[in-house]
Amino acid sequence: MFRFPKDFLWGGATAANQYEGGWDEGGRGMTESDCAAAGSVAALRSKTYRMPDGTPGIVSMFEPLPAGAKLDVVEGQYYPYHDAVDFYHRHAEDIALLGEMGVRLFRMSIAWSRIFPTGVEEEPNREGLDFYHTVFAELREQGIEPLVTLCHYDTPLHIEQELGGWENRETIDLFGRFARCVMSEYKDEVRYWLTFNEVNSPLMMPSFLPNYPAAKMRSNFQVLHNQFVASARAVKFAHEVREDAMVGCMLAGRCSYPFTCDPADVLFTQQGTQEALYYAGDVMVRGSYPAFSRRLWDKWGAEVEMLPGDVEDLASGCVDMITFSYYGSSTATTHADVERAGGNFSSGGKNPYMKYSEWGWGIDASGLRYFLNELYGRYEKPLMVVENGLGANDKLEADGSVHDPYRIEYIREHVKAMGDALADGVDLIGYTPWGIIDLMSASTGQMAKRYGFVYVDRDDAGNGSLDRYRKDSFYWYKKCIESAGEDLE
Ligand code: BG6
């Protein structure tokens, strides 16, 4: 069995909006996701709004709001992210559990609206800054390095709603103020940073939402350009304040296979991967737009506004590492008569060689080895898998145990795949499985879709003590880390 390097960064991952709670405490401002109600496996999440006369309303997540409506929290709705799983008050307990597991790297995000509540303030919110100082001090006590995402789907609501969000170039500067503030404030506490979570995800939308509007795709190219510039400036700044900073791009790991050996499917898969993955990866890793960009812009009729200085910014802010989420693979096909797969990361034809999770996400451990080799072959920079895991229903037994052999099997196979990729020569430096402590699902807003090695007592309607319980996978992962990935039984 392959032995992982001694300094391999075994870890776990979370994000503020799905984990932290305390949505209206400590001076925190609102985000769009505060207005997101829960969905289910079958139904998309919805979002709530208020009309100018105060009348409340609700629409499905990807539908536009009625004219004049503003996103808002309304009476009689349950909002899963408001309390999430209450890390805001239970951080000491959670970090002690991470320490007990032997975790060395904790991926978390700083809620932008906790530092700049509307995003446009000149001065940061001291209470928000102090909260993260406390968290970083507790991590340090356990010997755990933080890996901090600056923006994990939680741009302040005021920026999104009043300023036009990331389509507006002003947002680049507002993000810059936030990034410079936290990178300076925590320069002695944080070495590892990620700029935008799954930055490429807007370009993946057409593959899992049929009839995704072309106009939305056109604006997504502008959103991404503005985020690339904002990210590049943040990378540069990180090195100015801390020489050994490691800043990564974070890509939604779209690992796609041709559904058939029809050459049309092979080409279709290649072009899909260029659009949904390498477009963003190439700009952030290599510092310039890839040659195929023009074809994509023409395909969607997109005009990307670039200002003087952008090209230089992109070139001087290349990331130090590539990080990505990987849940499973998908297939791509030009053939209409195939059974379709479901789940965000499992679009295209249903792969007969794969198992699917209860939520329809394809499970493909060897795809992780393939994908690591692909990314390393293309970019030759250090890699981290910063999200991976199985969302599943768990049962808390009367004695406080949780038996989750399905999750252990999933993680074991992916750890083996990473070991194989290391043996292939891939420079993989870390692994942070998603939702290491149960948290809220992003796609469905459910609690029932659990990824953690620690169970949190909370249900889909917001009931439960929020107490933490060690699952069987907790002990398994601890052993895995202690044995440097050798003891996987
Ligand atoms: C990734 C996101 O897409 O997938 C996370 O970065 C998300 O925020 C994770 O939680 C798993 O998705 P879900 O929908 O099962 O929570």
Side-chain angles (χ1 to χ4, degrees), residues 18 152 197-198 327 345 361 387 434 441-443 449 451:
Q18 293 167 253
H152 194 119
N197 183 63
E198 295 189 331
Y327 291 92
F345 282 92
W361 292 26
E387 283 189 34
W434 177 247
S441 157
S443 55
K449 192 181 186 192
Y451 288 87

Side-chain angles (χ1 to χ4, degrees), residues 374-391:
E374 283 294 299
L375 288 178
Y376 193 60
R378 189 176 186 96
Y379 296 127
E380 294 186 322
K381 284 203 176 175
L383 300 174
M384 273 195 205
V385 182
V386 297
E387 283 189 34
N388 171 242
L390 180 69

